[in-house]
């Protein structure tokens, strides 16, 4: 019965394909090489969610429930894998279908891809971008773990890419993400030819260049280190560490920001909410769990350091965990029970904040912070508008700070506090611009993070309010 319902739903969805395209066109890099925009020039702030196992572990009805929930929170990008990580070539999806016949990329299973088709269409209708990984990296190399098996060579990677490009060439809501938690090159091993071939296949199948990036494992595997100058790479991704606390994400984002030629950069996997810190540790000591506060700190510091957006993640949702049995080591609960975690709502507040001002001319600039910079857990990040219209400072631990306002060419400044916990704003007032000012956050100490917003008073900006 489920198969019949799915088939009927799919037919209805595919029948509307001609009416589902975004009139703004596909995403592309802005002329300054720092951010993303639609083809018509409309700016785009990437607020993602890691729904990696969506195709593999959910029914179409559950997928729509998930997409609606994320859309309502302001999330506009879903990161998802076609050939999934968790034994995705051997274990079928919820309809009993595996993606490849005989685990061969040259023989895709039409029934499996019918579900992918319907999800691409649903996302398009809901105004959501899909950051699609053709495959998780363990299908390219098993050197760093995974279920595998390794099935890709440069030749069949090109053909698989061309198959995908041709199949989804009519959709404007796709960004292709190669990689999948593995390096493109490491030690004496080089898998770059596989990914380059797949990238070429995607463009050849689509009939045009379509936005592409690479999802790395993290640290020395990050995309910019190995792929920044590859012609197919449109923007860089980092993975600051979904299981590591207070990683200096700002350092890696700022490093990529300064590379030439300029390319946008994003942290695609910071802390996962509710994940046990370093769940692989063999220590018998109780392990802390990442709270929404831990998540907020990395989301904000990533964006304020120069990221064109950021991706939220939750421990049970990325794997679409279906069991009601609690897994203490990894903090896992049923995915549908974890849709409304505080961090998911709060990630949407970040998007509202950034979009409340012109944001494709943001320049990360920690020199704004004259006193109170902090290190690691309380490290402050800041950015300013290139035209001097405003600046914002993220303070992860409440305290007094001194700020340079010399980049705002106005005699008066409108000052605000923005609370990342609940999106409430507190007006400080209009102050005389003396070139530097000391501010004290409304609440102090760990757990009390704030954003200081300083506007050129001549601009008469309003502020987003709950």
């Amino acid at each position: 019965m489920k198969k019949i319902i799915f088939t009927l739903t799919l037919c209805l969805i595919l029948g509307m394909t001609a009416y589902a395209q975004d009139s703004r066109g596909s995403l592309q890099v802005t002329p300054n090489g720092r951010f993303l925009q639609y083809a018509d020039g409309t700016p785009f702030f990437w607020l993602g969610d890691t729904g990696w196992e969506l195709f593999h572990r959910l029914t179409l009805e559950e997928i729509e429930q998930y997409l609606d929930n994320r859309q309502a929170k302001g999330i506009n990008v879903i990161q998802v894998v076609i050939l999934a990580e968790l034994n995705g070539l051997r274990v079928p999806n919820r309809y009993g279908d595996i993606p490849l016949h005989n685990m061969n990329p040259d023989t895709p299973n039409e029934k499996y891809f019918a579900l992918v088709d319907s999800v691409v269409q649903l996302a398009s209708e809901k105004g959501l971008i899909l950051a699609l990984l053709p495959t998780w990296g363990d299908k390219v190399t098993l050197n760093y773990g995974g279920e595998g098996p390794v099935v890709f060579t440069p030749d069949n990677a090109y053909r698989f890419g061309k198959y995908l490009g041709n199949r989804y060439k009519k959709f404007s809501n796709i960004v292709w993400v190669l990689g999948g938690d593995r390096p493109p090159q490491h030690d004496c091993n080089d898998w770059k030819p596989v990914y380059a071939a797949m990238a070429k296949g995607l463009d050849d199948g689509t009939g045009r260049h379509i936005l592409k990036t690479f999802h790395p494992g993290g640290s020395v595997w990050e995309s910019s280190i190995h792929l920044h100058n590859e012609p197919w790479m449109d923007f860089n991704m980092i993975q600051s560490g979904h299981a590591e606390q207070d990683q200096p994400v700002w350092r890696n984002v700022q490093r990529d920001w300064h590379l030439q030629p300029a390319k946008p950069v994003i942290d695609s996997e910071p802390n996962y909410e509710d994940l046990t810190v370093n769940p692989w540790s063999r220590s018998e000591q109780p392990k802390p769990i990442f709270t929404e506060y831990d998540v907020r700190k990395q989301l904000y510091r990533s964006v304020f350091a120069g990221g064109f957006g950021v991706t939220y993640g939750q421990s049970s949702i990325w794997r679409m965990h279906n069991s009601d049995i609690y897994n203490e080591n990894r903090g896992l609960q049923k995915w549908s029970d974890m849709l409304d975690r505080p961090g998911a709502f709060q990630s949407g507040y970040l998007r509202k904040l950034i979009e409340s001002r012109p944001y494709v001319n943001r320049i990360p600039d920690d020199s704004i912070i004259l006193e109170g910079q902090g290190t690691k857990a309380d490290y402050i990040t800041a950015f300013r508008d290139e035209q001097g219209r405003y600046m914002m400072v993220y303070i992860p631990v409440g305290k007094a700070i001194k700020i340079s306002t010399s980049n705002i060419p106005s005699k008066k400044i409108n000052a605000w506090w923005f609370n990342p916990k609940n999106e409430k704003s507190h007006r400080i007032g209009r102050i005389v611009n003396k070139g530097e000012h000391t501010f004290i956050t409304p609440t102090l100490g760990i757990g009390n993070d704030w954003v200081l917003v300083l506007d050129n008073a001549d601009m008469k900006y309003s502020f987003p309010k709950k």
Side-chain angles (χ1 to χ4, degrees), residues 121-132:
Q121 178 66 39
L122 275 174
S124 178
E125 292 169 3
K126 297 174 188 297
L128 295 170
I129 300 293
L130 293 185
L132 278 179

Side-chain angles (χ1 to χ4, degrees), residues 37-202:
Q37 64 181 26
Y38 288 98
D40 71 352
T42 304
F44 180 80
F45 181 83
W46 175 306
L47 182 59
D49 188 33
T50 45
W52 296 130
E53 290 281 322
L54 183 149
F55 298 132
H56 191 206
R57 291 190 162 188
L58 299 187
T59 65
L60 184 60
E61 181 181 33
E62 290 171 329
I63 290 169
E64 184 157 24
Q65 175 191 359
Y66 165 75
L67 295 181
D68 286 343
N69 181 279
R70 272 21 204 164
Q71 181 190 38
K73 290 176 172 58
I75 288 169
N76 55 8
V77 178
I78 306 298
Q79 296 176 192
V80 58
V81 189
I82 294 176
L83 306 184
E85 175 185 7
L86 301 178
N87 214 354
L89 297 189
R90 298 185 182 94
V91 176
N93 66 14
R94 291 284 291 282
Y95 297 98
D97 301 314
I98 56 174
L100 307 175
H101 294 296
N102 302 315
M103 294 188 285
N104 182 353
D106 285 323
T107 55
N109 182 353
E110 182 65 27
K111 291 181 179 179
Y112 182 93
F113 278 89
L115 176 62
V116 179
D117 296 345
S118 65
V119 176
V120 173
Q121 178 66 39
L122 275 174
S124 178
E125 292 169 3
K126 297 174 188 297
L128 295 170
I129 300 293
L130 293 185
L132 278 179
L133 277 71
T135 179
W136 203 248
D138 64 335
K139 282 67 174 171
V140 176
T141 174
L142 276 172
N143 283 25
Y144 309 96
E147 304 282 354
V150 172
V151 297
F152 282 106
T153 66
D155 287 343
N156 66 15
Y158 171 80
R159 293 191 294 272
F160 188 63
K162 189 173 183 179
Y163 166 79
L164 293 176
N166 181 64
R167 190 173 187 111
Y168 302 110
K169 63 185 177 183
K170 294 181 180 179
F171 289 91
S172 59
N173 66 319
I174 292 176
V175 172
W176 290 108
V177 185
L178 306 187
D181 208 28
R182 297 295 183 276
Q185 183 179 25
H186 196 235
D187 296 331
C188 297
N189 300 300
D190 187 2
W191 301 281
K192 289 195 296 183
V194 175
Y195 294 116
M198 191 175 290
K200 186 176 189 310
L202 288 166

Side-chain angles (χ1 to χ4, degrees), residues 6 14 34-35 50 99 105 107 168 172 179 186 195 224 264 269 285 289 299 315 323 325 333 349 366 369 420 436 457:
F6 168 63
L14 293 181
R34 301 297 188 190
F35 304 95
T50 45
T107 55
Y168 302 110
S172 59
H186 196 235
Y195 294 116
S224 64
E269 278 192 285
Q285 297 298 318
I289 299 287
L299 295 181
S315 181
S323 174
I325 300 173
Q333 299 186 49
Y349 306 159
D366 288 352
I369 305 150
E436 58 182 51

